[in-house]
Amino acid sequence: MSSVAVLTQESFNEHRSGLLPEQVGDEDNLPTYKDAFPPLPEKAMSSEGPQEAGNAWTSKIRPLRSSIITQVFHVPLEERKYKDMNQFGEGDQAKVCVDIMQKTGAHLELSMAKDQGLSIMVSGKLDAVMKARKEIVSRLQTQASATVAIPKEHHRFVIGKNGEKLQELELKTATKIQIPRPDDPSNHIKISGTKEGLEKAKHEILLISAEQVENCAVALVQMFINWVPYLRTVKVNANNCDGHLCVIALGVDVSHAIFSFQKRNATTIAVEVKKSQHKYVIGPKGNTLQEILDRTGVSVEIPPPDSSSETVILRGEPDRLGQALTEVYAKANSYTVSSVSAPSWLHRFIIGKKGQNLAKITQQMPKVHIEFTEGEDKITLEGPTKDVQMVQSQIEAIVTDLVSRMDYAEISVDPKFHRHLIGKGGANINRIKDQHKVSVRIPPDNEKSNLIRIEGDPQGVQEAKKELLELASRMENERTKDMIIEQRFHRAIIGQKGEKIKEIRDKFPEVIINFPDPAQKSDIVQLRGPRTEVEKCTKFMQKMVAEMVENSHSVSVPIFKQFHKNIIGKGGANIKKIREETNTKIDLPAENSNSEMIVITGKKANCEAARNRILAIQKELANIMEVEVSIPSKLHNSLIGSKGRFVRSIMEECGGVHIHFPTEGSGIDAVTIRGPAEEVEKAKKQLLSLAEEKQTKSHTAELRAKPEYHKFLIGKGGGNIRKVRDSTGARIIFPTAEDKDQELITVIGTEEAVAEAQKELEALIKSLDNVVEDFMSVDPKHHRYFVARRGQVLRELAEEYGGVMVSFPRTGSQSEKVTLKGAKDCVEAAKKRMFEIVEDLDAQVTMECVIPQKFHRSIMGPKGARIQQITRDHNVQIKFPEREDLQVVSFKLIQENGESNGEIKEPADPAAPKKCDVIVLSGRKERCEAAVEALKALVPVTIEVEVPFELHRYIIGQKGSGIRKMMDEFEVNIQVPAPELQSDIISVTGLATHLDRAKEGLLERVKELQAEQEDRALRSFKLTITVDPKYHPKIIGRKGAIITQIRTEHDVNIQFPEKNDENQDQITITGYEQNAVAARDAIQAIVDELEEMISEDINLDSRVHARVIGARGKGIRKIMDEFKVDVRFPQSGAADPNLVTVTGLPEMVDEAIDHLLNLEEEYMADVVENESKMAYMKPSGTAAASSEEARGPSKGFVVREAPWTTSSEKAPDMSSSEDFPSFGAPVAAARASPWGPKRF
């Protein structure tokens, strides 16, 4: 219920000014105390007198019970968790309170008492208040703990159903109660909480326990009364019992009486029951014994399990013993125990996979228990007799079936071979199991047993036994070998994801290869297996390691950066092809790197081949051309061939030109050929001829040849195959590395040409298949050349001449006979080549080339690249001398020129060359002479280039990057003089062929730098413009928008004066002269426009300024943008707070002023309305005091018949804390109250 009071302007004025004079005198119009403050309704009549029938509360408001309650908790200082007085209402305590409010939904208010105790008022619903109280106690109050001991059987009554009683207790007492688990023998209950809560909780728990003791005692006595006839006269009244003593005394008396009665009337008999049947008589948890006792009144005593006695004793009244005995025998014979004979090795087959077979039986007969004992040849069945018989027949049938079709065998194998029989990941043993359909049990290592059991089909068992015995005997003959392989090669041998080591293991499946742990840093690789297989695997891995060592050769090739993308090719095609064909690893520098070096890694010969191809690409890039050939689109597919074989063969033959066919179905006839001019013409002719053949008549034939014959068939540089093609006109395509069939050779052309080419090729292949053996004589002094470097020369001969095998006599035999074995043509060609090599060796001479030692490093080049090139080009051997230490040289000179052993040595010939300067060359005379000239051409030369000193630092570049780039690009060394020398001379050292190019590059760089200097001078033109500082903000614009636009548009730098600068009106513009002038004109145009503007002041009531400006200035910004004006409001404390300045073009200023005045008129209406409303509000501060002084002293609110007017008490004092006590203050001593007697 609610009531509404209407307040008028007149009544409000009367209220503010107190009672009017005419009303003061008229006491009849004053309200009575009971009317103004009606008393609360009471439930019962007061003892002081009859209560009024009704009052203002009962007549107007229906009493309602609020769902919101309020409770106050007090936490003494000594029990407070947070005692920091300086952080009251802050810190962790405040966070805890906020968390409690969020968690429980209750409202908390904290206050501090004078004793520094904490008072907490909690408001909310009952459940929320109780939860909040528990949280407050646990989180804001220090905790104490106590234990209370009650009988274990009473614990469940403390917990209650689903723990409800325990939760209620914890909420009620604001404590945490911990009850021991059922399996814990302890009867102590632990309570934690406040001291007050502990006492309450203990009291409640003891009350529950006492109630249960009392209930149990009454039930016990009542039971005794019901069962013992002569005690029926005993009357028990639990209310009259004197606590526990009465119950105990009564229980003792009843027990004695029952014992005497049973002793006189009970009879005992003993019967024999099999020990195995005792458990059926007892039943689960003794239920069967209890049932017999309940039905017959006879107790059955069973001997303990550890006793061997089978005697069961029955005690009870004679007339009931027979019934009890019958029930005992019935229970004993209701279950039977039987056994089925079954070999123990068959048990798991009877059980089945994951117990499937046994599950079928147990599902049908769930009461039967089936027990398998390990090592025993029987199965025990236990359960109801009929069910056991049925299960027994089923299991016997299964056993009979398994015995008829299964067998087992046991073999003895040394335990050290067990893990090898199992194999890695069980590979070997799983293969045997799957292959022979048997089960093999190999004992674990901890059993130390050598017996392996095989079970399954009789035939499979015998085969598995035979295979396992063979493996075991093979392992007895195996050996272990350690190989020394550098750890850096281990990862390469294993391969990515173990692919390479898997291939080795597949190739030698009987050999176990163990690599050391990488952390051990060991080079020992262990091989274990049959002796012969281990030897084969060792040789294979040694060969593999040798190839890896050989493949680790590295060459660096400088290639211009702009050609790297051509070397890589589209989608990496070029670089991939070079890598595959030369079998090398090629690494290019990153795109953002300044390096131009391409690193090639692999075999030495392969690296050189890859290097030559890359250099050839660079050389040819300057002569690249692109032509289009018109070929009918219907022929494109046939020209491309299966998987692009035909077109790929053309591209390979023509030096790697790129042939691009249009998209299939496009109908375009144009085919693009791109590459070196000569090769493009060659490819064009071949394409056109092929297209002509396809249009006339095309025929294809296929033949096969071993892959090792392909190189011989192709010939050096494709010479052999070119002869066949020229003579027949047919095209012959050999398989590439990507093709699966490596033996297939395809012949394309006219029918006659294909037949002729096929005939020639078949004759060549047939001759290659005809293996012959031939001999030749080679002087033993040359043998070493052929077999050196792991037989590199012999390998090259075999690769080039169809796999011919060359055998030299053993070292030290002094035999000249060398055997060649292979195809006849290959042997003849290899023999011819070997004679050429021997002739070169016989004609070999030694020459000396004198070059100062300081140039040797330069001649060798990076990683010996230059010297390797000379060796390869001129087919000579070059040996550089050892480096000579300068200190040793000077020491020797002193000794040579001084005296030694009393003799005076002659000084050395000054014209004689030093040993450290002599380079020795071996080979044919003409080749050595050419090599000497090549070496001398590599001697570096130094030239001087004049470069202005002020440009040196720009040539060097940031951290030397500029000069490094030039040195890498031109392959020279550039020496810049020290800054203190102030020299203009830069020294350039390098090969004579490189110096001219380096000098040109350096001078070109100087020109660029001078041009940049001139440009910088032009850009440094400065221009100053004078602008009134008041216009500077307008020129800059909002967030620098206008000035940034001018800077960007004219590419100039514009600098405004600093605050402390003398020339505040000077703006400096820097840039190109024409740009600076244009920027100045742009600024001047803005200034001219600003000077045309006018400023007008208007009076705008300060009370509407905030409304006009708007939130974050949005309102005034909108007005300024709309009218293109600037509006300035007065600052706080200004002389005239209403003065507003509007600046802009005249017509726009007038419009903006009209708009502002309209807004003022609109907003002022709201201001006046708000102020009239504020007149009704209570004035604050000095305004209220001044109004009271004007009115004079107020008599306040006057009522008639107040309690203090009828007694000697004074009226309540508004300033008194006793008459109007504050919340949380201590209660004063009771005294007479002006409010009347208290009713509570």
Side-chain angles (χ1 to χ4, degrees):
M1 296 288 291
S2 63
S3 61
V4 180
V6 180
L7 186 66
T8 64
Q9 182 67 38
E10 292 77 10
S11 60
F12 180 75
N13 291 334
E14 291 173 6
H15 173 68
R16 291 191 64 190
S17 59
L19 294 176
L20 296 175
E22 56 270 18
Q23 287 180 325
V24 176
D26 191 1
E27 292 187 359
D28 294 335
N29 294 329
L30 294 175
T32 63
Y33 180 78
K34 282 188 177 181
D35 291 337
F37 303 102
L40 293 171
E42 296 184 358
K43 291 182 181 179
M45 294 292 290
S46 175
S47 58
E48 295 178 1
Q51 187 180 355
E52 293 182 10
N55 56 32
W57 294 103
T58 55
S59 60
K60 295 179 182 178
I61 302 172
R62 185 177 66 184
L64 295 172
R65 177 174 294 178
S66 173
S67 62
I68 304 298
I69 66 165
T70 300
Q71 288 192 10
V72 179
F73 308 112
H74 187 70
V75 182
L77 175 63
E78 60 273 12
E79 293 184 11
R80 282 180 59 185
K81 262 191 185 178
Y82 306 100
K83 297 182 181 180
D84 190 353
M85 306 307 169
N86 296 327
Q87 285 196 346
F88 181 73
E90 301 175 4
D92 294 337
Q93 183 173 270
K95 290 177 184 176
V96 169
C97 291
V98 170
D99 187 43
I100 292 170
M101 287 193 286
Q102 289 175 349
K103 197 180 286 186
T104 62
H107 179 70
L108 273 64
E109 290 184 11
L110 278 70
S111 63
M112 184 107 60
K114 289 182 179 178
D115 60 356
Q116 303 301 326
L118 196 64
S119 292
I120 306 167
M121 184 172 73
V122 186
S123 303
K125 294 189 176 180
L126 177 62
D127 184 46
V129 169
M130 297 308 290
K131 287 181 181 177
R133 179 188 177 191
K134 185 180 177 183
E135 289 284 331
I136 288 166
V137 167
S138 63
R139 299 176 67 178
L140 292 180
Q141 198 165 355
T142 54
Q143 303 291 297
S145 62
T147 56
V148 58
I150 63 170
K152 186 79 175 177
E153 56 270 17
H154 295 171
H155 287 190
R156 61 192 181 94
F157 298 102
V158 177
I159 296 170
K161 187 178 181 181
N162 296 328
E164 291 175 358
K165 184 69 177 176
L166 182 61
Q167 290 177 7
E168 183 186 344
L169 265 177
E170 287 182 337
L171 275 176
K172 186 177 177 182
T173 61
T175 57
K176 177 70 178 174
I177 302 172
Q178 295 178 356
I179 296 177
R181 296 175 61 83
D183 52 0
D184 190 347
S186 173
N187 63 351
H188 286 81
I189 296 174
K190 187 177 179 181
I191 311 166
S192 57
T194 61
K195 292 179 181 178
E196 181 185 358
L198 290 178
E199 294 302 322
K200 283 184 183 179
K202 283 171 70 175
H203 178 69
E204 292 290 337
I205 291 169
L206 289 172
L207 276 179
I208 292 169
S209 179
E211 184 181 348
Q212 294 307 315
V213 168
E214 193 172 318
N215 292 342
C216 289
V218 172
L220 177 65
V221 173
Q222 194 62 45
M223 182 186 71
F224 288 160
I225 292 172
N226 293 337
W227 281 91
V228 184
Y230 60 84
L231 288 177
R232 289 186 185 277
T233 56
V234 178
K235 303 295 182 183
V236 179
N237 185 355
N239 293 329
N240 294 333
C241 288
D242 186 12
H244 299 170
L245 295 175
C246 172
V247 173
I248 293 167
L250 186 59
V252 170
D253 292 342
V254 171
S255 298
H256 280 300
I258 291 172
F259 177 74
S260 301
F261 177 76
Q262 290 293 342
K263 190 176 181 181
R264 288 196 301 272
N265 297 329
T267 304
T268 301
I269 63 171
V271 294
E272 296 295 320
V273 178
K274 288 182 181 179
K275 189 74 177 177
S276 60
Q277 294 178 327
H278 286 189
K279 57 184 178 182
Y280 308 127
V281 177
I282 297 169
K285 297 183 180 180
N287 288 344
T288 304
L289 293 178
Q290 188 62 40
E291 289 173 5
I292 295 171
L293 179 62
D294 292 343
R295 283 198 292 269
T296 64
V298 175
S299 67
V300 181
E301 297 179 9
I302 306 292
D306 54 354
S307 172
S308 60
S309 174
E310 294 184 343
T311 303
V312 177
I313 298 171
L314 287 76
R315 299 180 191 276
E317 296 180 9
D319 56 340
R320 297 194 177 185
L321 284 175
Q323 182 186 351
L325 186 60
T326 302
E327 290 197 20
V328 167
Y329 276 120
K331 292 293 182 184
N333 294 323
S334 63
Y335 281 76
T336 185
V337 178
S338 180
S339 64
V340 179
S341 295
S344 59
W345 64 274
L346 285 178
H347 287 184
R348 62 191 188 84
F349 299 103
I350 296 168
I351 295 168
K353 192 175 182 181
K354 295 183 179 179
Q356 289 177 352
N357 298 343
L358 207 60
K360 294 176 183 176
I361 299 171
T362 53
Q363 284 172 2
Q364 296 173 356
M365 306 293 177
K367 294 184 179 179
V368 178
H369 174 68
I370 305 172
E371 184 177 344
F372 294 84
T373 307
E374 189 176 355
E376 292 186 9
D377 294 338
K378 68 173 184 178
I379 302 169
T380 306
L381 310 175
E382 184 179 337
T385 306
K386 290 184 180 180
D387 293 355
V388 167
Q389 290 173 356
M390 291 180 69
V391 172
Q392 184 174 355
S393 63
Q394 290 181 24
I395 292 178
E396 285 175 347
I398 294 171
V399 171
T400 305
D401 177 60
L402 289 172
V403 169
S404 66
R405 61 185 178 85
M406 296 194 72
D407 194 6
Y408 77 94
E410 291 180 344
I411 58 173
S412 181
V413 177
D414 195 321
K416 69 181 180 181
F417 299 133
H418 286 182
R419 64 189 183 92
H420 303 296
L421 289 176
I422 295 168
K424 188 173 182 180
N428 295 344
I429 203 69
N430 288 337
R431 178 182 57 79
I432 293 170
K433 287 178 181 178
D434 296 339
Q435 186 177 344
H436 303 294
K437 309 297 182 192
V438 295
S439 170
V440 182
R441 184 189 180 278
I442 298 177
D445 294 341
N446 55 1
E447 285 189 14
K448 296 182 180 178
S449 171
N450 60 355
L451 205 63
I452 296 176
R453 188 180 181 92
I454 311 165
E455 300 168 355
D457 179 73
Q459 185 180 352
V461 167
Q462 293 305 317
E463 290 175 354
K465 177 182 176 182
K466 182 181 177 183
E467 187 170 348
L468 283 171
L469 288 172
E470 286 177 358
L471 279 172
S473 66
R474 204 181 305 156
M475 287 174 190
E476 288 175 358
N477 297 326
E478 73 178 9
R479 63 165 294 187
T480 301
K481 186 172 183 178
D482 292 338
M483 285 186 68
I484 307 297
I485 299 174
E486 289 181 50
Q487 193 181 31
R488 65 191 175 106
F489 294 125
H490 290 186
R491 186 182 292 275
I493 294 170
I494 294 168
Q496 191 175 9
K497 297 182 180 178
E499 291 174 356
K500 290 189 178 178
I501 195 65
K502 185 177 182 297
E503 291 175 4
I504 298 172
R505 284 172 174 151
D506 291 343
K507 192 169 185 177
F508 304 98
E510 296 178 348
V511 179
I512 298 169
I513 306 169
N514 292 323
F515 285 86
D517 191 321
Q520 294 178 358
K521 296 183 179 179
S522 172
D523 295 334
I524 298 174
V525 178
Q526 191 180 73
L527 280 68
R528 182 183 177 86
R531 187 183 301 273
T532 55
E533 291 297 310
V534 167
E535 291 298 329
K536 288 179 183 177
C537 187
T538 302
K539 288 179 181 178
F540 181 85
M541 291 185 69
Q542 283 174 346
K543 185 179 178 182
M544 192 176 181
V545 171
E547 288 177 357
M548 286 181 179
V549 172
E550 190 177 359
N551 289 337
S552 61
H553 180 74
S554 182
V555 174
S556 296
V557 188
I559 300 293
F560 292 116
K561 195 79 174 177
Q562 62 267 31
F563 296 142
H564 283 195
K565 61 181 179 180
N566 304 94
I567 289 167
I568 295 169
K570 188 176 181 181
N574 293 351
I575 199 73
K576 184 180 178 184
K577 184 180 176 183
I578 296 171
R579 283 168 177 160
E580 289 174 354
E581 291 182 359
T582 61
N583 194 22
T584 55
K585 180 185 175 186
I586 303 173
D587 296 320
L588 286 90
E591 288 183 1
N592 55 358
S593 170
N594 291 327
S595 174
E596 294 181 345
M597 302 303 288
I598 296 176
V599 180
I600 308 170
T601 308
K603 291 182 181 178
K604 184 177 180 181
N606 293 349
C607 288
E608 293 301 327
R611 177 179 179 273
N612 292 338
R613 291 187 63 170
I614 290 171
L615 288 172
I617 291 172
Q618 179 181 245
K619 188 176 180 181
E620 290 168 359
L621 283 172
N623 190 25
I624 295 294
M625 68 175 291
E626 186 174 302
V627 297
E628 286 188 355
V629 183
S630 181
I631 297 174
S633 58
K634 63 182 180 180
L635 299 177
H636 287 185
N637 283 341
S638 59
L639 288 176
I640 293 169
S642 175
K643 296 182 181 178
R645 289 180 66 195
F646 296 164
V647 75
R648 192 164 57 242
S649 68
I650 296 171
M651 289 191 289
E652 287 173 359
E653 273 188 36
C654 300
V657 297
H658 181 71
I659 303 174
H660 176 70
F661 284 84
T663 309
E664 188 177 357
S666 63
I668 300 171
D669 295 339
V671 178
T672 306
I673 308 171
R674 183 177 178 274
E678 294 178 4
E679 302 297 342
V680 166
E681 287 299 322
K682 189 177 175 183
K684 180 180 176 181
K685 288 178 183 178
Q686 289 200 25
L687 270 177
L688 290 172
S689 64
L690 272 174
E692 189 178 348
E693 287 177 11
K694 292 285 180 184
Q695 281 180 317
T696 55
K697 189 178 180 183
S698 181
H699 188 71
T700 303
E702 293 179 349
L703 60 154
R704 294 183 171 275
K706 293 179 182 178
E708 55 265 28
Y709 293 164
H710 289 187
K711 275 193 176 183
F712 185 77
L713 291 172
I714 294 167
K716 192 171 184 180
N720 295 346
I721 210 67
R722 196 179 298 111
K723 286 179 185 178
V724 175
R725 188 173 64 238
D726 293 342
S727 63
T728 63
R731 182 171 192 80
I732 302 162
I733 300 172
F734 286 84
T736 60
E738 292 85 7
D739 293 334
K740 290 184 179 179
D741 194 346
Q742 289 291 308
E743 294 186 355
L744 188 66
I745 301 172
T746 308
V747 186
I748 304 168
T750 61
E751 189 173 356
E752 297 80 11
V754 167
E756 192 176 345
Q758 187 176 3
K759 186 178 178 182
E760 286 191 27
L761 285 172
E762 284 175 348
L764 280 171
I765 294 167
K766 189 175 180 181
S767 67
L768 291 173
D769 286 335
N770 182 21
V771 177
V772 298
E773 190 174 17
D774 199 358
F775 305 96
M776 66 178 291
S777 295
V778 177
D779 195 316
K781 67 181 179 181
H782 300 316
H783 289 189
R784 182 175 178 80
Y785 174 81
F786 287 96
V787 299
R789 300 187 301 281
R790 297 185 179 88
Q792 182 179 343
V793 176
L794 296 180
R795 280 201 305 275
E796 290 173 356
L797 286 169
E799 287 175 3
E800 191 172 348
Y801 300 104
V804 67
M805 293 176 61
V806 183
S807 300
F808 279 81
R810 291 185 179 179
T811 307
S813 65
Q814 298 299 317
S815 173
E816 295 182 355
K817 186 178 180 180
V818 177
T819 306
L820 292 86
K821 190 174 182 180
K824 187 177 180 181
D825 293 343
C826 295
V827 168
E828 290 299 327
K831 192 174 178 182
K832 183 181 178 182
R833 174 64 185 143
M834 288 180 69
F835 276 129
E836 290 175 0
I837 293 171
V838 170
E839 187 181 349
D840 285 344
L841 292 173
D842 287 335
Q844 196 174 64
V845 297
T846 302
M847 294 183 69
E848 292 183 351
C849 177
V850 179
I851 296 174
Q853 187 182 24
K854 63 180 179 180
F855 299 128
H856 288 185
R857 185 184 296 275
S858 175
I859 292 169
M860 289 180 183
K863 296 185 180 179
R866 290 174 181 166
I867 208 67
Q868 288 169 10
Q869 184 66 36
I870 293 172
T871 303
R872 187 168 49 256
D873 292 344
H874 301 284
N875 194 17
V876 295
Q877 300 293 323
I878 301 173
K879 184 179 180 182
F880 280 80
E882 297 291 333
R883 290 182 63 82
E884 190 170 2
D885 193 350
L886 293 176
Q887 293 181 355
V888 174
V889 172
S890 60
F891 177 70
K892 284 182 179 178
L893 288 172
I894 292 167
Q895 278 197 338
E896 287 174 3
N897 297 329
E899 293 183 2
S900 178
N901 298 328
E903 297 179 2
I904 300 175
K905 290 189 177 181
E906 291 293 329
D909 185 4
K914 297 179 182 177
K915 287 184 180 180
C916 61
D917 296 338
V918 177
I919 302 171
V920 180
L921 294 87
S922 301
R924 281 181 174 271
K925 184 178 180 182
E926 61 275 13
R927 292 176 182 170
C928 288
E929 289 173 351
V932 168
E933 294 299 322
L935 284 172
K936 289 181 177 178
L938 291 176
V939 175
V941 180
T942 302
I943 62 171
E944 293 181 346
V945 182
E946 188 172 350
V947 177
F949 173 73
E950 62 270 13
L951 298 179
H952 287 189
R953 61 193 184 96
Y954 300 110
I955 287 172
I956 294 170
Q958 189 176 11
K959 295 182 179 179
S961 59
I963 201 164
R964 268 200 308 275
K965 183 180 178 183
M966 292 181 71
M967 287 194 291
D968 293 339
E969 184 179 352
F970 302 117
E971 297 183 46
V972 295
N973 180 45
I974 301 173
Q975 187 69 35
V976 180
E980 56 269 15
L981 297 177
Q982 299 282 315
S983 174
D984 294 340
I985 302 300
I986 291 179
S987 301
V988 183
T989 305
L991 301 181
T993 54
H994 296 167
L995 289 177
D996 292 337
R997 198 160 56 90
K999 184 177 180 180
E1000 288 176 8
L1002 190 58
L1003 293 174
E1004 187 66 31
R1005 179 62 179 152
V1006 170
K1007 287 180 183 177
E1008 290 176 7
L1009 292 172
Q1010 287 174 342
E1012 288 176 10
Q1013 275 188 334
E1014 291 173 4
D1015 185 63
R1016 274 198 297 273
L1018 292 173
R1019 287 182 65 89
S1020 60
F1021 177 78
K1022 283 189 179 182
L1023 193 64
T1024 304
I1025 181 173
T1026 303
V1027 178
D1028 195 323
K1030 68 180 180 180
Y1031 297 138
H1032 289 186
K1034 291 294 181 182
I1035 295 169
I1036 293 169
R1038 188 162 178 262
K1039 294 185 178 178
I1042 296 172
I1043 200 67
T1044 302
Q1045 184 181 355
I1046 295 172
R1047 283 173 178 154
T1048 308
E1049 188 176 339
H1050 300 287
D1051 191 21
V1052 294
N1053 181 33
I1054 302 172
Q1055 191 70 33
F1056 284 84
E1058 299 290 338
K1059 286 184 180 180
N1060 54 357
D1061 198 341
E1062 293 180 0
N1063 301 320
Q1064 286 293 310
D1065 57 353
Q1066 299 294 319
I1067 298 175
T1068 306
I1069 307 169
T1070 308
Y1072 292 116
E1073 185 176 358
Q1074 65 272 24
N1075 292 357
V1077 171
R1080 181 195 63 188
D1081 294 342
I1083 293 172
Q1084 189 61 48
I1086 295 171
V1087 172
D1088 292 343
E1089 187 179 345
L1090 291 171
E1091 286 177 346
E1092 290 178 10
M1093 294 181 180
I1094 61 169
S1095 293
E1096 286 193 20
D1097 295 336
I1098 60 169
N1099 280 318
L1100 203 66
D1101 198 304
S1102 60
R1103 290 176 289 179
V1104 300
H1105 286 187
R1107 289 282 299 275
V1108 172
I1109 293 169
R1112 297 183 179 179
K1114 286 183 180 178
I1116 196 64
R1117 205 156 44 242
K1118 184 179 179 183
I1119 294 169
M1120 288 194 292
D1121 292 342
E1122 183 179 351
F1123 296 102
K1124 302 293 187 293
V1125 296
D1126 182 54
V1127 182
R1128 296 289 175 185
F1129 288 86
Q1131 294 183 351
S1132 59
D1136 187 355
N1138 300 328
L1139 190 66
V1140 175
T1141 303
V1142 184
T1143 305
L1145 295 174
E1147 62 275 9
M1148 303 306 290
V1149 168
D1150 293 339
E1151 290 180 14
I1153 290 173
D1154 290 341
H1155 182 71
L1156 288 171
L1157 293 174
N1158 290 336
L1159 286 177
E1160 180 191 26
E1161 186 178 348
E1162 180 184 341
Y1163 294 155
M1164 279 304 295
D1166 294 339
V1167 171
V1168 171
E1169 186 179 346
N1170 287 336
E1171 286 182 349
S1172 63
K1173 288 180 181 177
M1174 291 297 293
Y1176 296 99
M1177 306 302 292
K1178 181 180 177 182
S1180 60
T1182 57
S1186 60
S1187 62
E1188 285 178 6
E1189 288 176 5
R1191 289 199 307 269
S1194 173
K1195 294 187 178 181
F1197 187 66
V1198 181
V1199 295
R1200 294 182 293 115
E1201 301 176 8
W1204 51 84
T1205 57
T1206 58
S1207 64
S1208 59
E1209 293 294 332
K1210 293 181 180 178
D1213 185 2
M1214 294 288 287
S1215 61
S1216 170
S1217 60
E1218 292 181 357
D1219 292 346
F1220 295 93
S1222 60
F1223 175 75
V1227 181
R1231 67 177 183 83
S1233 172
W1235 304 99
K1238 291 183 180 179
R1239 294 182 291 171
F1240 53 85

